Amino acid sequence: MKHLCVMTALLLASCLGAQTASTPQSTTTSAAQPWWKGAVLYEIYPRSFQDSNNDGFGDLNGITSRLDYLKVLGVDAIWLSPIYPSPQVDFGYDISNYVDIDPQYGTLKDFDHLVAEAKKRNIRIIMDMVLNHTSDKHPWFIASRSSKTDPKRNWYVWRDGKGPGQPPNNWQSDFGHSAWEYDQKTGQYYYHKFYIQQPDLNWNNPQVRKAMYDVVRFWINRGVSGFRLDAITTLFEDPQWRDDAEIKDANGKTTINNYGDVALDDAMTNNLPEVNDVLRQLRQVADSYKGRDVVLIGETYLKSIDDLKKMYGANNDELQLPMDMQIGFINKLDVALFRQRINEVQNDIGGNEPMIVFDNHDNPRWDRYGDGAHNQDIGRVIATILFATRGTALFYYGDEIGMVTTPPTRKEDVKDPVGITGWPKDKGRDGDRTPMQWDDSPNAGFTGPNVKTWLPIPPSYKTVNVKTEVMDFNSMLNWYKQLIEFRRSTPALRDGRNIMLNTSDNNVLSWLRQVPGQPAVVVACNFTAQPQKISFDLSAHGITSRQAKTLMKTPGSSDPSSLDNVQLPPFGVYMGQVQ
């Protein structure tokens, strides 16, 4: 294992300098299965990854300059949050042109260069596709708003109010307050599930569908390998325009949300069955590119494993990878609940590929699980669950070095519209989007030393950065690199079935990865601040050996003498290959 660490350090160190020529990385995916099965995906928030022109904002050329780092880390594909032209009210999720690049990030030529350079390294590009809404500055909406008789009027959701000054119903925006905005000129309300400047498209209109499917084709033709579909479950609204129900507490009392509004169940505007019809049509578009294996990834915050299963389609003809948020966002280290939900996504989705998500640009980072004393070890636990269970793995830039949530301390510093509306109960998402910490120089290597960055560099950058962690064999960065490497090179971790073990133990989460004809792997994660001892009896799974070769273990812990005596330090991890 130490040899692997040394190689990791040398390779990653070589990637911190200028971009160099590179040999394509070999892939572990067999020709019989699509590239995304078991792949490692990395979300980049482009504003915050790397600034190439010293304006304080990350850009496409900055991402291109860091591709060698991502290659050595073991990344198979990059998901880019929106880079389209936008007024940036919601930092790119309010799109004014779907078929160009915002000048802040570069040009289409820069994008093409990124795709080409990534391809040389066997790294694919996944675009964020926002289908639910546009910017209010999009030409479509400008036309729609101009007149009730405009040809694009029905491209958006317009309704009369209940009466003077009364919106059509009680629906709320996810960003706070009414989801209806009155338009003085035409005397109607338009619907916005999110910010006021993000009017919802009318997906009941076939012209809207055609226009958006043409956008998808534009980017596939430009070399994109897939799409993360933003807010995909919110495309449709209740056709009877019924009010949402109020959420009551245990005493039957109405609850209030972070924005000071009555809390509502959004059943009338979320996960309606018509969404699945659109997903099937999108899948047809993706599958029409034979041999490309274009992947559709869904932002799917859902209430049950049954709802998640439906997103794959009854005939496996909708999303290939709906995101499972029910595991990663448990937000407490509860062994029984983790075991139950991992079991569900492994066994109850019809044999489809799971995609567990712990972090993204909309949520506090992994340190929300921390206890303040063992955060690094807890981070290793989370990474192990992500990479050592069956499925496609997605993580967020900076997770690999242990970047933490750093929220603003003053309202006047808030950039995110969520934080502006929700302060102080909800400080918004700025703290999850701070610039990548590359080294310990001024501005953390994200941009020039005298440049004002769009969000402040967290003070943690002095020690939590790529350059420092490259040479530390016990760093979070080397833990991630080793996990990804073992996942790539070990058949059981790459392709094996996932079986939960020791199911009566509510202190340690443990499981078996097994593939016929190959050595099995056992994994154990201590969810407590106390040392734990466990043993593995694998006879029920056709394994009689009591010995294993250690693949990974928490720094400072000793190798077990046998699988009958695995000692785990507080929040410790053990992973071994059965001999």
Side-chain angles (χ1 to χ4, degrees):
M1 186 170 71
K2 189 169 183 178
H3 174 71
L4 179 61
C5 286
V6 172
M7 292 302 296
T8 297
L10 293 173
L11 286 167
L12 286 171
S14 72
C15 297
L16 286 174
Q19 187 80 2
T20 58
S22 178
T23 305
Q25 180 176 317
S26 63
T27 178
T28 59
T29 334
S30 71
Q33 67 179 19
W35 68 267
W36 45 263
K37 277 203 169 183
V40 173
L41 276 53
Y42 186 91
E43 181 191 354
I44 289 178
Y45 198 68
R47 294 171 73 90
S48 295
F49 195 63
Q50 181 66 63
D51 175 16
S52 71
N53 60 358
N54 291 337
D55 65 355
F57 299 88
D59 47 50
L60 292 178
N61 288 334
I63 295 169
T64 303
S65 75
R66 297 295 187 178
L67 286 174
D68 281 340
Y69 165 79
L70 297 173
K71 175 197 168 187
V72 174
L73 186 58
V75 169
D76 295 302
I78 302 165
W79 155 30
L80 302 175
S81 67
I83 53 175
Y84 316 97
S86 166
Q88 303 295 332
V89 172
D90 190 24
F91 301 113
Y93 285 93
D94 50 320
I95 297 170
S96 56
N97 182 353
Y98 282 93
V99 291
D100 205 348
I101 302 296
D102 193 293
Q104 174 178 281
Y105 299 121
T107 64
L108 279 171
K109 183 178 179 181
D110 295 331
F111 177 81
D112 293 341
H113 180 59
L114 170 61
V115 172
E117 289 299 315
K119 185 176 181 180
K120 291 178 184 177
R121 294 157 178 82
N122 272 3
I123 296 175
R124 299 168 190 264
I125 304 298
I126 293 171
M127 296 285 277
D128 210 318
M129 184 54 59
V130 184
L131 300 176
N132 180 73
H133 52 266
T134 71
S135 165
D136 62 349
K137 299 299 188 290
H138 195 292
W140 297 345
F141 186 71
I142 292 172
S144 181
R145 194 175 201 168
S146 67
S147 166
K148 287 184 178 180
T149 59
D150 188 271
K152 288 205 166 40
R153 182 66 171 186
N154 198 36
W155 281 46
Y156 294 84
V157 181
W158 292 95
R159 296 288 295 173
D160 291 326
K162 285 183 179 178
Q166 299 179 50
N169 55 35
N170 73 343
W171 296 349
Q172 290 176 2
S173 163
D174 279 12
F175 286 179
H177 313 324
S178 175
W180 296 98
E181 180 71 6
Y182 184 68
D183 179 64
Q184 190 73 37
K185 181 176 181 180
T186 59
Q188 283 190 313
Y189 289 82
Y190 68 83
Y191 173 69
H192 57 93
K193 177 69 173 173
F194 298 96
Y195 218 53
I196 292 169
Q197 290 91 342
Q198 294 169 302
D200 273 46
L201 287 162
N202 176 16
W203 276 85
N204 291 303
N205 185 337
Q207 292 176 300
V208 168
R209 298 194 188 197
K210 180 183 183 304
M212 296 309 293
Y213 300 158
D214 285 345
V215 167
V216 168
R217 292 185 183 96
F218 174 88
W219 291 106
I220 298 175
N221 291 336
R222 218 160 187 108
V224 165
S225 295
F227 301 90
R228 177 266 191 184
L229 304 175
D230 178 70
I232 192 62
T233 62
T234 65
L235 297 187
F236 291 90
E237 299 77 43
D238 175 47
Q240 298 179 50
W241 311 99
R242 292 171 290 184
D243 281 352
D244 273 320
E246 295 182 3
I247 296 175
K248 310 285 187 179
D249 64 17
N251 299 315
K253 184 179 177 182
T254 298
T255 57
I256 304 299
N257 64 23
N258 287 343
Y259 304 109
D261 304 319
V262 172
L264 301 178
D265 179 346
D266 67 349
M268 297 297 141
T269 60
N270 196 1
N271 200 25
L272 273 65
E274 293 87 347
V275 168
N276 298 87
D277 179 46
V278 170
L279 294 180
R280 283 188 292 274
Q281 293 176 355
L282 279 168
R283 181 66 175 272
Q284 289 170 9
V285 172
D287 288 352
S288 69
Y289 290 80
K290 304 298 182 185
R292 292 279 298 275
D293 288 327
V294 176
V295 66
L296 301 178
I297 302 168
E299 183 190 21
T300 45
Y301 291 91
L302 299 167
K303 295 180 179 179
S304 71
I305 197 69
D306 289 336
D307 286 341
L308 185 73
K309 181 179 179 181
K310 290 175 185 175
M311 290 294 159
Y312 292 94
N315 299 306
N316 193 23
D317 55 356
E318 297 182 28
L319 299 176
Q320 293 102 323
L321 294 173
M323 293 179 179
D324 183 332
M325 312 291 195
Q326 296 177 56
I327 297 170
F329 293 97
I330 290 173
N331 293 340
K332 59 180 179 179
L333 291 175
D334 182 324
V335 169
L337 196 50
F338 266 85
R339 183 184 295 123
Q340 172 197 327
R341 292 189 179 176
I342 291 172
N343 254 335
E344 287 176 347
V345 81
Q346 297 292 333
N347 302 317
D348 298 341
I349 58 171
N352 287 298
E353 179 85 349
M355 187 180 204
I356 300 171
V357 178
F358 278 92
D359 273 358
N360 60 35
H361 62 280
D362 280 332
N363 295 279
R365 287 184 176 270
W366 65 273
D367 58 303
R368 67 189 185 275
Y369 280 97
D371 67 352
H374 305 90
N375 281 20
Q376 284 289 102
D377 290 316
I378 291 170
R380 291 187 181 94
V381 166
I382 290 168
T384 303
I385 294 170
L386 177 65
F387 292 111
T389 51
R390 183 179 72 86
T392 298
L394 168 68
F395 65 110
Y396 188 41
Y397 82 95
D399 282 352
E400 75 275 18
I401 58 172
M403 279 179 62
V404 298
T405 312
T406 312
T409 56
R410 305 183 307 167
K411 184 177 182 180
E412 53 264 39
D413 296 331
V414 177
K415 302 288 199 304
D416 180 22
V418 171
I420 292 170
T421 305
W423 188 276
K425 283 188 176 181
D426 190 336
K427 295 182 179 180
R429 301 162 293 180
D430 293 346
D432 328 323
R433 302 171 174 184
T434 55
M436 178 67 176
Q437 296 164 202
W438 294 103
D439 58 40
D440 60 357
S441 67
N443 281 331
F446 166 70
T447 188
N450 299 313
V451 177
K452 180 176 173 58
T453 57
W454 83 279
L455 285 176
I457 305 289
S460 60
Y461 84 94
K462 284 290 187 181
T463 54
V464 179
N465 64 69
V466 174
K467 184 178 180 181
T468 298
E469 295 190 26
V470 158
M471 301 309 296
D472 178 0
F473 297 149
N474 292 328
S475 69
M476 188 73 77
L477 179 58
N478 277 306
W479 186 265
Y480 267 73
K481 179 64 176 73
Q482 291 168 66
L483 275 171
I484 294 169
E485 178 58 34
F486 280 126
R487 175 190 174 94
R488 188 179 302 277
S489 61
T490 308
L493 284 175
R494 189 177 67 239
D495 303 317
R497 60 178 182 153
N498 203 104
I499 304 163
M500 305 310 292
L501 301 173
N502 299 338
T503 54
S504 61
D505 186 338
N506 286 330
N507 294 316
V508 177
L509 183 72
S510 56
W511 63 95
L512 171 72
R513 299 295 309 280
Q514 188 178 33
V515 67
Q518 296 289 337
V521 172
V522 291
V523 187
C525 296
N526 182 1
F527 272 38
T528 76
Q530 293 76 43
Q532 301 290 333
K533 174 186 173 182
I534 64 165
S535 63
F536 293 103
D537 180 358
L538 306 176
S539 57
H541 308 291
I543 300 171
T544 57
S545 172
R546 315 299 296 171
Q547 301 295 319
K549 178 180 75 174
T550 299
L551 298 179
M552 295 184 69
K553 60 185 177 65
T554 297
S557 59
S558 58
D559 284 330
S561 56
S562 80
L563 291 177
D564 293 322
N565 184 29
V566 177
Q567 305 279 347
L568 294 170
F571 300 104
V573 173
Y574 171 76
M575 183 165 70
Q577 189 173 56
V578 181
Q579 299 298 287

